[in-house]
Amino acid sequence: MITPRQTRLYRVANLRAFQRAIRVLTRQSDLSRLRNCAVIVPSAAAADQLRRTFENEVLRRKAAVDRAVALPQILTRAGWYDAMHARLPAPPRRLSDLEREVLLKSAARETTGDENSAPFRLRAGLLVEMLSLYDDLRRRNVSVDRFESAITEDLARDASSDRGAERLLRQTEFLSAAFRGYESRLAASGRVDEHALRAQLLQMEPVPPFRQIVVTVGDRTGDSAGLWKADFDLLARLPRLEQIDIVATHQTLAAGLFDRLQDLMPGFEDADLTLREKAHAAPLYAAAEGPDGVDGPDGDDDGRPVLLSYRNDQNDQEARPFLTSRDREDELSVLARRIKGPSNTVLDRRAVVFKRPLPYLYLVRDVFSDGGIPYQTFDALPLAAEPYAAALDLVFECVASEFTREPLVALLSSPHLNFEVDGVPLARADVAALNRALCDAAYFGGIAQLRQFAASAASRVARAARAASAAADELETLTDAGRPSLQLRSLLAFLAVHDRMPPAGDPLAERHLRARSAIRAAIQDLSRAHEQFDDSPVPLTESAAMIRRWIEGQTFEPRTGATGVQVLDAQAARYGEFDELFIVGLVEGEWPRPSARSIFYPQSLLTRFDWPDSRAALAGERAAFHDLVLLPRAQVTLSTFELENDSIIGPSAFLEDIDRLGLQTRSGAGVRERVFVHEAITGDPVVRSAVGGTARVWLDTRAARSDSSAARFHGAGARYKPPAYAISALERYLKCPFLFYAERVLELKEDPEDEPALSPKDLGVFVHSVFQSFFEEWNRRGHRSIAPDNLPEARAIFREVIEPLLDALPEDEAAVQRTRLLGSAADEGLAEAVFQLEAEWRTPVAERLLEHPLNGEFEIESEEGPRRIALKGKADRIDLLADGTFRIIDYKLGYAPDRKLALQLPIYSVCAVQHLRATRGENWELGQAGYIAFSEEPSFVPMVSKGRNPEDVLQQAQTRLLTAIDGIARGDFPPTPADVSQCMRCAYAAVCRKDYVGDV
């Protein structure tokens, strides 16, 4: 039986009247009736704001301050369902989201039988989309049978000739069968989801029932947080509900809500009264009169705010009705200056309003804290951004990779997990040593290999290796397909053993424990769901995907601050009282936000199920924006920005509507002097009072140090003079002095990297050894030059020589290097490139010096005369030619070095002349020097050629050499790369003062 009820629509002029109408409608003298009154709002943040609005009114009403005050229940749509479920006499158990996913996955798998027969591969993300489609249909009162018949009717006539229609038809059959399987499993479980709960709410009388419901949201077509068709149907038929009050602004109703309400709630009474008329015309509002007979303390609700206009720079001829900043962070910085300016408005009555919470909730922490502006946030943050979620992800990554080095080291290093050996926790130094040792041992994963490594590990890494092996043993049950419930229990046991609790007094401890509790509860929930509904063996990756997807879909509410500027989203702002509003992020793509689309069907197929088109959503968002601009009592600032991730973004189309709102404008300006902490401590004079505690100690220490222009802050170090200078190292100094400093002076090691093949350095060593072995064998067989007539023999000998060297490599790597050396049908090999060059050179080779050391003191010419320098180097090849000259060759797998920086070949040439004279008593003259660069075309890059005077090249190289040596001797190691692009791949970027790159 349907209880007779009164349904009224209350039209209000603006959001201030909207809030007062809600207060008036819920003001009851009967406490029992008030407790059975619910106000439906779009979000938890909106509920917070409305609750504040109620409390502010109570505090303003002097007659009520000495009495306890009861408020109605302020609920989101989901909270309303929870409350109605709790009021049932014998409430059935509701399924959680994860339990519903498990039920649907079980039904979908049974539907397909063979997974390949499904129109798509079942994945956690697609299961969520399937469940979302099912919910969307049921919330629109569309049954599975109606969905299947309607879609089939549209597609069947084209399926025989249209492959797309045929595929959609198969998809519809699959989805319908999966949805029916889900519903049958749901009925068999004896539990309910939202849709089954609605059916029971209509059949069972709640105790106690809701007697009044105030709806402050629109319908789903024009409001992304509105009620669905099924919700309005439930309101119309819910037992014992006596009164439904719908409150909406004129703007929202004119945008289409009024017409839709006539379809959704036929027969409602249109109570189109202004707030002034309500106090005198409607008995319902008489109870709202204050002690002096006036309807509330704030007077006229029709007053409009002033719109502040800005000149973004001095070149602007005319002030614009909105701010334009570079990016979001700059946008908040500009607003912070505005907030710090002179104003009579208290901070609690000022609000920064956005459409999309992220990244504003993160940026406001830095910008407002830096500006010393107290603030409070209400919006939820993604649970996936919590550190404990990252720790769980490390466990999944470690198992999925079969315990390869990087995930394993990351797991042992996690600050949220604790690993002990003999009761003593691992230190960071232990993990760092293990990282290096695993890389040196060419460990590429596998529990057996990890156990073997731990058994033979050296003492300095033994503890960490044992901890790693023990962790892998604990997680071993997760590496193979198994029952999800058991896998997830093992995961929980691992987390319980290794959980590291935050230290006492940690300000983030409560937040960490809340996130930890939510994530572990989800794992337990999924484990129980599988145990009860579907525990078929699957790989851990499937369960991990479901958990990750669930975490990504959840939000976390670490509310920040109790006073100060309110930072909240546009939906919540509709329920708050503000004197000044800063509406930020007014860019395309956010104001309005793109309408959500189904991933399964085009819009044209869903229109018969009342799927909204983008025009209705746009009209609703535009109306909501207009209402929001008119909300504050004093003034409003609109703000946009131009860059997002280095991409240019256009302003919102809503900004074009501002002129139509008829607002008065006034020039706005912010504080120009320093307002941020970083400005106070980096500008002159330094304001030490801007910081305190540890930061103050740091600032005092910095202030007592040398001036920042001192050489020590720009790469100067202690003098350095090695016993002999490596010529290749000096060339690296010319490329970047700091690179030489990190590598040679500090002797820092590059971070280890797992290479599935030979690393570039190892590959270079291998190629050098191949050509050294070939030419040694070539010379041993009595050959010297390679000419066109003996090329076949050279190729044959090369093939013989490389096989033993290739046998020392792994089989797959040997195959790759064989092709690299010998070539293929697509490209010639390295050997052929060298042989063809040799065949082109006409002067016979008398002798070859291979991998020849050039160590000792050598005379290097300078402007002041010769200097004797201790050098060391190794020439890849020196060919002594029959005409008394020599040719010096250096192999490069990549490209030849820049001629302006190259040292090796010119200096090797200078040293070779002196070395040959000193060791052999022979005078040889440089004839040719060049690089065989296998990545270049042509591959030979000459530094010195026959027929050309080499003196200039050699003199310039000697000057560069002495410049580098003198700089090293002075301790001059600034981070000034010859090519700044090398900073992108530098192994020492973590210790480099890159902010000085480019300084003169």
Side-chain angles (χ1 to χ4, degrees), residues 28-29 65 89 123 156 176-177 201 206 208 362 456 468 571 667 748 796 809 811 827 885 925 948:
Q28 304 285 348
S29 58
V65 294
R123 299 190 300 273
S176 301
L201 288 171
Y362 293 129
S456 59
Q571 286 183 335
S667 177
L748 300 178
L809 301 177
E811 184 177 350
D827 193 14
T885 64
E925 181 182 344
R948 296 183 181 179

Side-chain angles (χ1 to χ4, degrees), residues 81-94 192 196-210 238-239:
Y81 272 86
D82 291 340
M84 290 190 295
H85 174 257
R87 289 172 178 240
L88 289 176
R93 181 178 168 186
R94 294 184 66 185
V192 296
L197 175 61
R198 264 198 305 271
Q200 293 207 15
L201 288 171
L202 294 175
Q203 297 171 2
M204 302 172 64
E205 187 170 303
V207 180
F210 279 116
L238 193 64

Side-chain angles (χ1 to χ4, degrees), residues 93-102 191 485 488 492 517-533 546-547 550:
R93 181 178 168 186
R94 294 184 66 185
L95 290 177
S96 67
D97 291 340
L98 284 172
E99 288 174 328
R100 296 184 70 210
E101 285 184 39
V102 171
R191 303 177 187 180
S485 61
L488 295 173
L492 285 170
S517 176
I519 290 172
R520 295 188 59 166
I523 298 173
Q524 290 173 339
D525 188 16
L526 184 59
S527 175
R528 286 194 299 267
H530 276 293
E531 188 174 25
Q532 296 171 6
F533 302 125
M546 292 185 70
I547 294 172
W550 179 88

Side-chain angles (χ1 to χ4, degrees), residues 425-439:
L426 283 184
R428 293 181 64 87
D430 296 330
V431 180
L434 175 65
N435 185 27
R436 178 72 59 179
L438 289 173
C439 184

